[in-house]
Every structure is written in structure tokens, then in C-alpha cells.
Amino acid sequence: MAARSSDRSGGTVSQVRKGSAGRLVEVAEGVFAYVQPDGGWCLNNAALVVSRGQAALVDTAATEARARALRSAALGVCPAPPRVLVNTHFHGDHTFGNFVFPEALVVGHERIRGEMAAAGLHLTGLWPDVEWGELTLTLPEVTYHDRLTLHVGDAAAELIHLGPAHTTNDTVVWLPDQRVLVTGDLVMSGVTPFCPMGSVAGTLDAVARLRALDARTVVTGHGPVAGPEVFDVTEDYLRWVQELAREGLAAGLTPLEAARAASPGPYAHLIDSERLVPNLHRAYVEERGAAPGAPLDIGELFREMVEFHGGLPTCRA
């Protein structure tokens, strides 16, 4: 495990692996994307909004060391720590670092508290070799139903829930004046979509609604900062998954068998392609009439994904 610090709010721990640390990039006036290459498992993005000496943060990082690196980067832009921290969904790579920002009020969708509490630190057990550090789970203190507007100095940030998509509790953050959209994992850039805990159809519906915002810049949950063209890949991939599910059901194949029979085709460039298996499981149950977000056995889906991949997927967090 990582070395530990006695300063829980701003101390240092063992350094993030050389060459893999995140970088803060200004994508619009006062709006920064914190990008962690290469965007694979647990290497997520965050975003920082700064205006008139105030700051708000969208998401944190998976490990203590990475979260502290994010804190240092944020304080390098705005000396005042973020007063508000938005979690886009409950997954640990976006939330485990909440405790590194004790000054911030943590905000998320109304379903996130229960999902975070139920999941706990389970993610750390999937990759025991990762130096997770001394993590403390910090749940959102403020939740909302459909929409909520945050005011950060002169900047307005709209928090929007679009229904089950990546998970049941996704939040996107829309900055209309800057035309910047922060999607969380509802959209990823150069990375295979992942929606077994949400909905394939729901993600397609959500992406269609995100297009209508007319964003100039899209800070996705993983991968490089993009433009609205990133929506095309998400939509095309998920429609392909739906077609594979329909064909697999007609042929009497299981989702794992359908994944093995499929060619990656135009999606071979997307990293973490093993996600096809759990995505097909979600598409299968939706083809059979299951409601978006209906619970699946995620442990079993992960086991099948590992079998399909030929081993545990790589996590460089």
C-alpha cells in the first residue's frame, strides 16, 4: 500500500507512477480538465471551475496519491480549495478521493449516497496490487432529483440527471456560458462505453439530449478532451451492441458467446474492449423487456469479462 500522511487534507503520499500523473488543461476561461492518461480502468478525468477566487471540482480520483496530486494541481490554479465537489456517479475512481477535499460540500444525484454506501471500497479488492492508499469513504451531503444549478463566482454550472445510463445516478455538468460539458462516464473518449449498471438504451437517449446542448468542448469521464464528435462513437458503438444482442438472442447465444463470435470492427481502437461482455448482458435483458437500471449480478458479469479477456484487465491506477 502507499505510504501514509498524517495530514489528511493536504499532505503528500508516495508519488504517482512516473509518466502517468494527471495534467490540468484550461479548456475555456476558468474551466480546467484534469486528464489522467490513458483513460483505462480507474484512470478517470476530473474538472475544475474557477471564478473570482472561488472553485468547484467535478470528481476526484481512485487512489490517495492520485487524489492528492489532483488537489495540488487545483490549488496551483486557485489558492482557495474547492468549496463544492460534484460526484458524477458512485464509482470509486471518481469518488474515493473525496476525503482529500474536506473543505468541500459534496453534491450528487439522490441515488448516489445509497449506491456509494453499498459499494464501499469494493473496487479496491478487484485490483489488490494497486497502491490505493488509506482511503476514507466520503458520501455526498447534498443530493438533487433532476436539476441543480451551482454558482461559482460568476460561473453557473447546471447539474443534470438524464436517467439510467452509465449508472442509475449519473450527473452531467453543463457550463452554458463556456459551452463546456462534463459528462462523467456517461461518455468516454477513445475508451469503450460501459453501462451494465445503467442502460444501453438509456445512454443512447441521454447522448441525444446532450447533443441538444450544443457543447463546444466535452470533458469525458475517461480519455482525451473532445468535441461533440465524441457522441458519434458512443452512439455507434452502443447501437452495434444492441444489434449484436438481437442477433445473439435469435441464434440462442449467451452474451459471452456472442462477444466471442463478434469482430471488433470499427471499435478495435477503443481501449478496454473486454467491456463488450457486460454491455451485452445489459443489452440482452433490455431486449427481453427489463427496465433501464434493473439490477444485474455485476460480480458474475465481471467474472465473465475476465474470462473473455483471458485474465484480469489492466489497471494502472
Side-chain angles (χ1 to χ4, degrees), residues 163-200:
H166 175 62
T167 69
T168 63
N169 50 85
D170 299 315
T171 291
V172 300
V173 180
W174 169 233
L175 297 148
D177 292 340
Q178 297 86 353
R179 290 177 61 194
V180 174
L181 176 65
V182 185
T183 67
D185 288 357
L186 200 158
V187 179
M188 297 188 245
S189 176
V191 180
T192 303
F194 189 63
C195 46
M197 300 179 196
S199 172
V200 175

Side-chain angles (χ1 to χ4, degrees), residues 24 26 28-32 47-57 74 77-80 82 152-155 175 178:
L24 203 59
E26 188 166 19
E29 185 175 359
V31 184
F32 301 81
L48 182 72
V49 180
V50 179
S51 177
R52 286 199 292 114
Q54 299 179 28
L57 184 65
V77 171
C78 181
V152 185
D154 294 326
L175 297 148
Q178 297 86 353

Side-chain angles (χ1 to χ4, degrees), residues 225-246:
V225 175
E229 72 281 350
V230 74
F231 299 141
D232 298 339
V233 180
T234 301
E235 288 179 329
D236 291 348
Y237 172 86
L238 291 177
R239 289 186 179 121
W240 174 67
V241 169
Q242 288 179 323
E243 181 61 26
L244 288 179
R246 286 190 286 268

Side-chain angles (χ1 to χ4, degrees), residues 122-161:
H122 175 73
L123 182 65
T124 63
L126 300 180
W127 287 282
D129 293 335
V130 169
E131 294 185 355
W132 297 98
E134 188 178 341
L135 301 174
T136 300
L137 196 66
T138 300
L139 304 179
E141 301 162 282
V142 172
T143 61
Y144 74 98
H145 181 64
D146 288 323
R147 298 180 77 106
L148 178 70
T149 301
L150 299 177
H151 297 275
V152 185
D154 294 326
E158 299 178 10
L159 278 56
I160 308 171
H161 173 66

Side-chain angles (χ1 to χ4, degrees), residues 54-306:
Q54 299 179 28
L57 184 65
V58 182
D59 283 337
T60 56
T63 70
E64 183 177 6
R66 287 184 174 276
R68 293 200 186 281
L70 170 59
R71 181 182 175 92
S72 294
L75 293 179
V77 171
C78 181
R83 295 174 54 194
V84 177
L85 167 54
V86 179
N87 285 151
T88 60
H89 60 291
F90 78 96
H91 289 161
D93 50 339
H94 295 257
T95 62
F96 280 171
N98 286 1
F99 75 98
V100 173
F101 299 88
E103 309 91 345
L105 183 70
V106 184
V107 180
H109 183 256
E110 63 186 7
R111 292 181 177 173
I112 195 173
R113 277 184 61 92
E115 294 283 1
M116 277 183 66
L121 299 178
H122 175 73
L123 182 65
T124 63
L126 300 180
W127 287 282
D129 293 335
V130 169
E131 294 185 355
W132 297 98
E134 188 178 341
L135 301 174
T136 300
L137 196 66
T138 300
L139 304 179
E141 301 162 282
V142 172
T143 61
Y144 74 98
H145 181 64
D146 288 323
R147 298 180 77 106
L148 178 70
T149 301
L150 299 177
H151 297 275
V152 185
D154 294 326
E158 299 178 10
L159 278 56
I160 308 171
H161 173 66
L162 298 170
H166 175 62
T167 69
T168 63
N169 50 85
D170 299 315
T171 291
V172 300
V173 180
W174 169 233
L175 297 148
D177 292 340
Q178 297 86 353
R179 290 177 61 194
V180 174
L181 176 65
V182 185
T183 67
D185 288 357
L186 200 158
V187 179
M188 297 188 245
S189 176
V191 180
T192 303
F194 189 63
C195 46
M197 300 179 196
S199 172
V200 175
T203 301
L204 286 167
D205 177 68
V207 170
R209 293 164 68 185
L210 293 179
R211 281 186 183 278
L213 296 175
D214 194 27
R216 179 185 294 117
T217 304
V218 183
V219 180
T220 62
H222 294 250
V225 175
E229 72 281 350
V230 74
F231 299 141
D232 298 339
V233 180
T234 301
E235 288 179 329
D236 291 348
Y237 172 86
L238 291 177
R239 289 186 179 121
W240 174 67
V241 169
Q242 288 179 323
E243 181 61 26
L244 288 179
R246 286 190 286 268
E247 293 174 354
L249 283 166
L253 301 178
T254 67
L256 180 57
E257 290 168 341
R260 285 173 169 161
S263 165
Y267 312 107
H269 68 288
L270 299 178
I271 66 174
D272 300 330
S273 60
E274 64 275 2
R275 294 173 179 173
L276 175 60
V277 175
N279 287 336
L280 277 171
H281 271 277
R282 175 58 64 183
Y284 265 56
V285 299
E286 290 184 351
E287 286 294 324
R288 290 168 170 151
L296 299 180
D297 185 342
I298 300 302
E300 176 60 20
L301 269 58
F302 193 86
R303 185 199 64 76
E304 282 195 15
M305 183 176 68
V306 170

